[in-house]
Amino acid sequence: MKDIFEKLHDKMGPLGMHADDAHGYFTFPKLEGPIGPKMKFRGVEKLNWSLNNYLGLANHPDVMKADADAATEFGMAYPMGARMMSGNSNYHEQLEHDLAEFIQKPDVILLNYGYQGVVSAIDALIDRHDVVVYDAESHACIIDGLRLHLGKRFVYKHNNVEDCEKQLVRATKLAEETGGGVLVITEGVFGMSGSQGKLKEIVELKKKFDFRLFVDDAHGFGTMGQTGAGTGEEQGCQDGIDVYFSTFAKSMAGIGAFIGSTQHVIKFLRYNMRSQIYAKALPMPMVVGSIKRLEMIRTQPEHKDNLWKIFHALQGGLKEAGFNIGITTTPVTPVLLNGTIPEATHLTFDLRENYNIFCSIVVYPVVPKGVIMLRLIPTAVHTLEDVEITINAFKSVKSKLDSGEYRKEKLATVS
Ligand SMILES: Cc1ncc(COP(=O)(O)O)c(C=O)c1O
């Protein structure tokens, strides 16, 4: 018999295999100082494009004050226990009420984390008779939720409505045999490519097929739609979304998440989601602070307006300079270059050390082999000057990449 730890020595996985070279610099970097477009990395100020602080609320003085006041009043422990047993409060219920009103759904359930909330909601909503149809580029939390599913699932090519329809034909046939139903799952905004899920077209398919639609709108909530209520609002099909999920980890700049749906579905989830029944409720500062954040999103459209101004300037400028930014139609801004993993590390090192620009770098297996993706997240608190500096720096490193300056065998190593 083997020791289960034995294989961990030589099987670190596709990301872990770079751990020795990358740790602390390319992976697990430490950004220090107040959250914002200028943060320190290894003691030096960098122009930072790597945080999902879309609306700039993370350290807005009013948000910091709401968090701090609630921490002073309640501490971090309150409420103790899961919502169902001893961890409910008027504030939790008020936040649910405010969120439901904002996203135009009859009811909302709070979740203590987005990732495990989605896993657990999928687990609760479907049984082995049900069939799932889902987008190929779905977030890990959707994929992992589906791992718990004992029934069948059919994947459709990313954002390909024709293929979605094909899979719906198969799913419908199967569900008729098993006596189950069909659930379609997609994202509102895909966090890597920035493309929007084709929600409106998927909702249209309800005219031909019987199914329910689950949308993970982690990147769309707060950033998309006239009021910021998300991608369903943006595309004019919020009513067609049966289960609307978003996290507080991005526009809301906090921790936690929520699901909006009918009163009956939410009641069912309250009594059947294992991640909520068997885990501690969100701490009070996060709940009271989230009420404040939501009020600001609702009443201060300038945050979203600034975000859109910056994202249009950034994407327009990059395109004008000849960069390939893929198919994004949202603030998520991927810059797609061609090169090896060592080239990606040398380019990123140059960008960080010599141009003082910090952004995320994404390589295989997250993107295809030979592609380097630099991912920029514009926020409401970036400036047009930040955009200009960044585009100039990108032009410079791209010409070095093209001329072979970063062509090395080994990854950039950092002491
Ligand atoms: C699309 C998507 N779904 C779910 C999550 C998970 O949310 P949380 O960070 O609240 O666990 C994320 C990342 O935050 C995400 O990008």
Side-chain angles (χ1 to χ4, degrees):
M1 199 175 81
K2 271 191 183 166
D3 175 354
I4 58 159
F5 289 172
E6 221 177 281
K7 64 178 175 305
L8 309 188
H9 289 294
D10 40 45
K11 226 179 150 191
M12 278 294 287
L15 296 172
M17 66 189 266
H18 301 300
D20 289 345
D21 293 323
H23 197 86
Y25 195 88
F26 297 110
T27 57
F28 297 84
K30 291 175 193 152
L31 288 166
E32 292 167 321
I35 295 171
K38 306 271 167 62
M39 292 182 75
K40 282 196 174 167
F41 177 56
R42 293 163 37 105
V44 180
E45 188 176 273
K46 309 285 168 192
L47 179 47
N48 173 23
W49 295 95
S50 67
L51 307 182
N52 294 316
N53 179 28
Y54 286 116
L55 301 177
L57 299 186
N59 61 355
H60 188 289
D62 296 350
V63 167
M64 302 268 282
K65 183 171 181 326
D67 291 351
D69 287 352
T72 304
E73 187 176 349
F74 298 102
M76 286 300 287
Y78 189 85
M80 287 298 289
R83 296 275 303 278
M84 186 186 275
M85 302 300 282
S86 52
N88 199 16
S89 82
N90 287 336
Y91 288 103
H92 287 70
E93 290 182 355
Q94 185 193 329
L95 178 56
E96 289 177 332
H97 172 268
D98 293 354
L99 282 163
E101 209 167 72
F102 183 61
I103 60 162
Q104 301 276 299
K105 291 287 170 206
D107 206 354
V108 153
I109 176 173
L110 286 182
L111 311 169
N112 36 27
Y113 281 100
Y115 172 95
Q116 41 102 315
V118 170
V119 170
S120 180
I122 293 173
D123 178 47
L125 287 170
I126 53 180
D127 68 23
R128 67 195 170 86
H129 304 293
D130 297 324
V131 186
V132 178
V133 173
Y134 67 103
D135 190 284
E137 284 189 16
S138 293
H139 188 266
C141 60
I142 297 171
I143 304 297
D144 293 356
L146 292 176
R147 285 185 182 174
L148 294 177
H149 178 42
L150 298 174
K152 263 293 213 192
R153 55 190 197 231
F154 297 109
V155 62
Y156 62 89
K157 289 182 205 136
H158 174 53
N159 253 351
N160 184 326
V161 180
E162 224 173 274
D163 194 31
C164 177
E165 185 165 350
K166 259 194 222 157
Q167 304 311 323
L168 271 168
V169 172
R170 297 171 76 192
T172 304
K173 190 164 172 284
L174 189 63
E176 275 162 6
E177 283 164 25
T178 59
V182 177
L183 179 68
V184 174
I185 309 180
T186 179
E187 290 182 38
V189 171
F190 287 86
M192 283 293 153
S193 64
S195 56
Q196 288 178 55
K198 300 218 167 130
L199 307 186
K200 200 174 173 83
E201 281 144 281
I202 295 173
V203 169
E204 278 292 303
L205 289 175
K206 287 187 170 184
K207 291 183 183 149
K208 284 204 207 166
F209 302 92
D210 276 336
F211 64 88
R212 295 293 185 178
L213 176 60
F214 184 126
V215 174
D216 174 343
D217 205 21
H219 291 270
F221 179 81
T223 68
M224 305 300 290
Q226 172 88 41
T227 68
T231 317
E233 183 187 42
E234 176 78 21
Q235 298 184 17
C237 60
Q238 188 79 338
D239 284 352
I241 299 173
D242 300 290
V243 184
Y244 179 93
F245 161 89
S246 193
T247 171
F248 295 157
K250 304 185 196 284
S251 282
M252 290 278 277
I255 287 183
F258 67 93
I259 285 175
S261 187
T262 64
Q263 275 171 343
H264 184 71
V265 168
I266 297 302
K267 183 174 170 189
F268 175 86
L269 290 175
R270 282 193 205 293
Y271 283 85
N272 291 279
M273 272 184 82
R274 295 168 69 81
S275 66
Q276 306 308 306
I277 298 170
Y278 298 103
K280 193 172 185 292
L282 272 181
M284 201 63 102
M286 219 43 267
V287 175
V288 175
S290 295
I291 293 172
K292 182 71 196 169
R293 289 160 171 81
L294 182 61
E295 178 205 307
M296 290 172 69
I297 291 176
R298 263 191 0 240
T299 60
Q300 300 173 7
E302 59 269 29
H303 304 297
K304 186 165 75 73
D305 293 347
N306 281 348
L307 167 67
W308 276 60
K309 182 179 84 184
I310 298 298
F311 115 61
H312 281 310
L314 180 67
Q315 294 187 2
L318 284 165
K319 274 200 251 179
E320 214 174 280
F323 283 96
N324 175 6
I325 60 166
I327 51 170
T328 182
T329 56
T330 67
V332 176
T333 307
V335 177
L336 300 160
L337 304 166
N338 297 316
T340 60
I341 293 181
E343 279 178 311
T345 62
H346 287 281
L347 180 149
T348 306
F349 182 77
D350 194 17
L351 201 54
R352 287 186 186 173
E353 298 305 313
N354 300 318
Y355 299 87
N356 289 323
I357 292 186
F358 190 100
C359 65
S360 302
I361 151 183
V362 185
V363 293
Y364 178 80
V366 183
V367 289
K369 269 193 180 140
V371 173
I372 302 171
M373 185 203 277
L374 299 173
R375 183 167 167 272
L376 302 172
I377 300 292
T379 71
V381 282
H382 280 96
T383 64
L384 292 174
E385 195 194 352
D386 295 338
V387 169
E388 196 185 325
I389 291 170
T390 303
I391 293 172
N392 286 335
F394 269 51
K395 282 192 210 161
S396 178
V397 293
K398 165 99 169 41
S399 74
K400 289 186 191 172
L401 176 72
D402 291 344
S403 69
E405 220 171 288
Y406 303 126
R407 209 168 292 146
K408 312 252 161 69
E409 295 237 326
K410 293 200 166 149
L411 304 190
T413 46
V414 184
S415 50

